[in-house]
Amino acid sequence: MNPSFAAIDQGTSSTRLLLASAGTAPQLSLALRNAPQHPRPGWVEQAPLELLAKVEACLQAAGRVQAIGIANQGESCLAWDARSGEPLSPVIVWQDDRTAQQLAALRAEGVQALTLERAGLPLDCYFSASKLGWLLRNDAGVARAHRAGRLRLGTTDAFFLDRLTGQFVTDASTASRTSLMNLASGAWDPTLCALFGVPMECLPAIRPTVGDFGLYRGIPVTASIVDQQAALYGHGCRAAGDAKITFGTGAFALALTGAQIPRAPTSGLLPTVAWQIGAERSYALDGGVYDAGSAVEWAGRIGLYTDLSEITAFGAAPAIARGLAFVPALSGLACPHWDRSAAALWVGMNAATTRQDLCQALLEGIALRTAQVVRVMDGHIGAAVRLRIDGGLARNPYFCQFLADATGRSVATRRFDELTALGCAALAARGVGQTLETPDDDDVASLFEPRTAPADALAWQLRFAEAVSKTMGWKRELSAVA
Ligand SMILES: O=P(O)(O)OC[C@H](O)CO
């Protein structure tokens, strides 16, 4: 029998297909790698047609399902031609920092109060707005299409949906990551669009997360959502305070907060739309670490290990306890620091330091950065007893144990851990009035209990915070020297 639902998890590092039906175990049926390009330092791009081809390959492999859901990589955005559908730009990935200087200048003018108030977001190039404005100012083809009245600007979901179903639409969760949507009204905000130089008429219509996104070869697309929010749903988080951390390209902690916009302006946490079902918008607080899986991938690429199995256990004491730290700021620092001028750093090496030590410090650095986010989350939603995690690093036992030690919390991994895709499939099922089960708190594959004395964990945190402070502003100082 054909599976009922297909979910595409179109993430930064891979495009995956999950097939699911009520009452049977969901199956990951295809996983295709994406390799973001770095044409200049700080720039991160992907080829739109390549991503689209992978999404289509997944959809074709899915066959005749009842409904389709698509999860997207959030803030990544592009320009394309309204008439031909041809891309006019690469996908500018959320990690890309090409607009850092422009945003630093706006911050210096005091504009951030406006974006925080309207979009809930700080002035950081993470969000799509400054990149869409950049495209219009710096790409002659994009400017020409605008003059000719045939320009479309948007996040990757809007491009995929336009090409797959002919609908030029996005959903409220994705729109909330652009810094162009007014968080209170759920509509594009003319003041924000003017601030970033993004013509509002070039943006897609904003729809609820579950609903009508058109037909792909006769099959309804009934859900479209940011991957992080999909994972939140996939973990079974439905009540205010429920939270998860996904370790994908980056690490993103999201805590559901309910129907009110959670304002936490000085914490560095972001209010965001979790999902909109009908007229009801649910919000979440989001805290991110820009580089998690991408830092691990980079370490492999530069030859620090050849196989991931080499970095799942270490004979030595924690690197941080030996004075060796790594700050994973390859794309700068997000929550709670928000410093794009920060750079990655290893500190504390000596002549005896090995590649293994560097890898150990790298994993610990991702966990310690995550612990910084967990601490600020605690201040706003109350301390979670247990951290629900998923993503590639959730399969690394050293990482999970160290995260438990660094945060002083139990860390739970799930038996079925394709939770972005599962959440997306469950939302697609809702779109046709059906229910697909998501895990509950008993559904645990491994539980890692903290084994380190709280005083030691605190000492690690303080040492790590010192290392973080050394990374901040590094690139700013570099441009002053150049
Ligand atoms: O590609 P991922 O899985 O790290 O997720 C991308 C995030 O949504 C970026 O905000």
Side-chain angles (χ1 to χ4, degrees):
M1 211 172 74
N2 280 344
S4 306
F5 307 105
I8 312 295
D9 171 8
Q10 203 305 294
T12 320
S13 308
S14 67
T15 305
R16 310 159 90 75
L17 165 68
L18 180 91
L19 295 173
S21 301
T24 60
Q27 296 291 334
L28 183 80
S29 341
L30 200 57
L32 305 167
R33 267 186 63 75
N34 308 321
Q37 304 298 308
H38 301 88
R40 293 191 200 181
W43 289 30
V44 190
E45 296 181 350
Q46 287 180 322
L49 294 178
E50 236 174 83
L51 295 185
L52 179 66
K54 287 177 185 164
V55 172
E56 286 203 84
C58 287
L59 288 172
Q60 273 155 33
R64 304 289 323 158
V65 290
Q66 270 183 53
I68 295 167
I70 304 177
N72 70 75
Q73 49 176 282
E75 307 74 10
S76 304
C77 57
L78 72 157
W80 67 102
D81 186 299
R83 265 185 247 167
S84 67
E86 284 307 304
L88 296 168
S89 77
V91 170
I92 306 184
V93 175
W94 53 276
Q95 286 175 318
D96 186 294
D97 74 359
R98 72 187 63 191
T99 57
Q101 281 188 353
Q102 177 213 349
L103 295 182
L106 283 177
R107 262 198 312 276
E109 286 169 27
V111 175
Q112 184 157 280
L114 181 88
T115 59
L116 281 173
E117 207 256 311
R118 290 177 180 246
L121 305 175
L123 279 167
D124 190 278
C125 30
Y126 179 21
F127 313 108
S128 330
S130 65
K131 289 161 176 167
L132 293 173
W134 185 95
L135 280 173
L136 205 55
R137 286 194 308 279
N138 291 279
D139 189 306
V142 174
R144 214 168 23 250
H146 182 227
R147 281 195 301 276
R150 46 193 287 181
L151 177 63
R152 287 194 167 160
L153 294 170
T155 38
T156 54
D157 58 325
F159 174 66
F160 298 143
L161 288 166
D162 195 12
R163 290 288 297 255
L164 296 170
T165 71
Q167 295 217 16
F168 182 41
V169 291
T170 187
D171 92 296
S173 73
T174 316
S176 78
R177 310 299 296 178
T178 60
S179 207
L180 296 170
M181 190 187 90
N182 187 300
L183 209 51
S185 69
W188 298 123
D189 184 306
T191 307
L192 292 173
C193 289
L195 173 70
F196 291 106
V198 177
M200 215 161 85
E201 69 278 8
C202 298
L203 296 171
I206 303 174
R207 296 260 173 90
T209 303
V210 172
D212 175 13
F213 292 94
L215 298 174
Y216 173 74
R217 300 188 169 186
I219 304 170
V221 178
T222 53
S224 183
I225 184 168
V226 178
D227 50 11
Q228 300 304 328
Q229 279 79 331
L232 186 69
Y233 200 86
H235 270 275
C237 297
R238 302 286 183 277
D242 287 354
K244 65 89 202 185
I245 311 173
T246 302
F247 293 93
T249 310
F252 295 93
L254 260 73
L256 204 55
T257 57
Q260 298 303 317
I261 300 175
R263 297 279 181 188
T266 52
S267 68
L269 293 167
L270 308 175
T272 194
V273 174
W275 43 76
Q276 181 176 336
I277 299 179
E280 202 178 302
R281 267 200 298 280
S282 297
Y283 294 90
L285 271 178
D286 162 61
V289 173
Y290 286 140
D291 290 283
S294 58
V296 176
E297 191 275 331
W298 165 74
R301 195 157 23 97
I302 62 170
L304 290 186
Y305 65 88
T306 44
D307 190 89
L308 283 172
S309 61
E310 294 162 32
I311 58 165
T312 54
F314 301 90
I320 189 76
R322 294 182 279 132
L324 176 63
F326 174 74
V327 181
L330 294 161
S331 318
L333 292 166
C335 175
H337 311 287
W338 294 106
D339 184 359
R340 278 288 181 159
S341 66
L345 171 88
W346 263 290
V347 63
M349 287 87 81
N350 58 47
T353 303
T354 63
R355 288 180 200 208
Q356 278 286 94
D357 291 328
L358 294 181
C359 289
Q360 190 175 1
L362 183 132
L363 293 177
E364 292 175 11
I366 298 165
L368 287 161
R369 268 291 291 125
T370 307
Q372 293 188 322
V373 172
V374 168
R375 239 194 344 272
V376 277
M377 278 277 185
D378 287 352
H380 286 272
I381 57 157
V385 183
R386 186 187 276 188
L387 302 177
R388 303 176 184 97
I389 70 166
D390 68 295
L393 277 165
R395 292 173 207 139
N396 183 316
Y398 183 80
F399 177 80
C400 296
Q401 183 58 53
F402 187 84
L403 183 66
D405 291 338
T407 55
R409 303 300 151 76
S410 317
V411 167
T413 61
R414 298 293 200 185
R415 275 194 284 268
F416 181 77
D417 69 351
E418 292 290 336
L419 294 165
T420 296
L422 182 62
C424 184
L427 287 162
R430 272 185 87 148
V432 288
Q434 294 197 32
T435 306
L436 206 57
E437 277 194 7
T438 48
D440 59 25
D441 273 341
D442 298 330
D443 189 327
V444 168
S446 304
L447 195 61
F448 297 85
E449 297 292 354
R451 295 198 296 225
T452 300
D456 290 340
L458 181 65
W460 298 353
Q461 279 297 340
L462 294 173
R463 197 79 170 117
F464 182 71
E466 245 179 88
V468 169
S469 69
K470 290 182 199 303
T471 71
M472 296 182 73
W474 178 259
K475 291 205 272 189
R476 203 163 42 234
E477 282 157 26
L478 204 66
S479 52
V481 174

